[in-house]
Amino acid sequence: MREEFRVDLNIVSQLLVDMAEAIRAAMRHATRALLTADRAAAESVIERDAEIDSLYRQVEERVCDLLARQAPVASDLRALVTALHVAADLERMGDLADHVAKTAVRRHPSPAVPAELRRVFTEMAGVADRIADKIANVLSKPDADLAAELDRDDDAMDDLHRELFAVLLADDWPYGVETAIDATLLGRFYERYADHAVNAGRRVVYLVTGETVTD
């Protein structure tokens, strides 16, 4: 029974890694679509969001089955509870990449981001990609120190989010209300993407150390 549990838990862990890699690719493609008006890239993100949802359901089903059959305790129970929470955060990150892609489609053939905002969104996308890469790494090989770095990455995203608002609220903003609303929502999508990654990282810290990380 113990060996069977370990095999099943390894499957759950690999599903989480697969989710992390998928949400990283999704945000990369969504950003390209956003900045270059690449409709094909945006549509591929939208179409493949169902694959991320499917991985999420597989994690839920396997964890629930293990809880019912194995009645785990202590560290084993902690691993399963962590997997459920992390999967939920990863699924939401996939949804946020999907939102970015849908914005790109809606504004096509024009780029959804005006020239004045390209740099800040490029940098936000860079932070998002770095965060997603770290999540995939800590899920593949749990590392509390690497997971804790996500809080610093989130601080960088928050700084960029504030910079975005400074541009949008400036008196000389030339693009009108609709573009400002789109940029505000897009900034929120990237910011929340980072927040969910931090949540997932804190779950990994809890898994490794048994200690809860708070703000």
Side-chain angles (χ1 to χ4, degrees):
M1 289 286 286
R2 183 69 181 175
E3 181 61 28
E4 182 183 354
F5 178 84
R6 284 291 148 203
V7 170
D8 287 339
L9 189 58
N10 286 339
I11 292 172
V12 170
S13 296
Q14 185 57 52
L15 287 169
L16 292 175
V17 172
D18 292 344
M19 284 187 75
E21 291 174 347
I23 61 99
R24 184 187 185 193
M27 188 56 95
R28 274 184 166 184
H29 293 314
T31 298
R32 185 172 78 245
L34 187 71
L35 297 177
T36 66
D38 186 339
R39 187 183 183 97
E43 290 177 342
S44 73
V45 173
I46 296 166
E47 291 168 2
R48 300 194 69 176
D49 185 56
E51 296 177 16
I52 297 172
D53 292 341
S54 175
L55 289 169
Y56 176 48
R57 287 192 296 271
Q58 289 179 60
V59 171
E60 280 192 316
E61 290 167 1
R62 286 188 175 274
V63 168
C64 289
D65 180 65
L66 283 169
L67 288 170
R69 289 191 298 106
Q70 303 282 0
V73 295
S75 61
D76 291 339
L77 179 60
R78 191 163 72 224
L80 292 180
V81 171
T82 296
L84 281 177
H85 284 292
V86 169
D89 280 310
L90 295 176
E91 191 274 337
R92 185 58 184 146
M93 291 169 75
D95 287 343
L96 291 162
D98 180 71
H99 294 342
V100 172
K102 286 178 177 175
T103 302
V105 169
R106 179 165 51 79
R107 296 300 297 269
H108 189 270
S110 299
V113 175
E116 285 83 349
L117 297 178
R118 287 180 63 84
R119 182 192 59 78
V120 69
F121 275 108
T122 298
E123 292 186 17
M124 292 178 90
V127 175
D129 189 64
R130 183 167 71 246
I131 282 173
D133 180 50
K134 286 182 181 178
I135 283 293
N137 286 331
V138 299
L139 290 173
S140 178
K141 186 178 180 181
D143 181 333
D145 291 334
L146 183 59
E149 289 181 12
L150 291 164
D151 276 295
R152 292 193 292 276
D153 293 322
D154 186 49
D155 289 341
M157 183 69 84
D158 289 342
D159 288 343
L160 290 166
H161 197 217
R162 285 189 288 271
E163 183 178 342
L164 170 65
F165 270 95
V167 176
L168 295 175
L169 296 174
D171 292 337
D172 59 351
W173 172 254
Y175 294 102
V177 173
E178 183 179 4
T179 301
I181 290 173
D182 277 345
T184 299
L185 290 174
L186 287 165
R188 181 63 172 164
F189 298 153
Y190 282 96
E191 190 263 341
R192 288 300 296 155
Y193 186 93
D195 286 346
H196 282 287
V198 169
N199 290 343
R202 289 177 176 178
R203 294 290 178 181
V204 173
V205 172
Y206 172 70
L207 172 64
V208 174
T209 67
E211 298 178 357
T212 301
V213 180
T214 58
D215 291 323

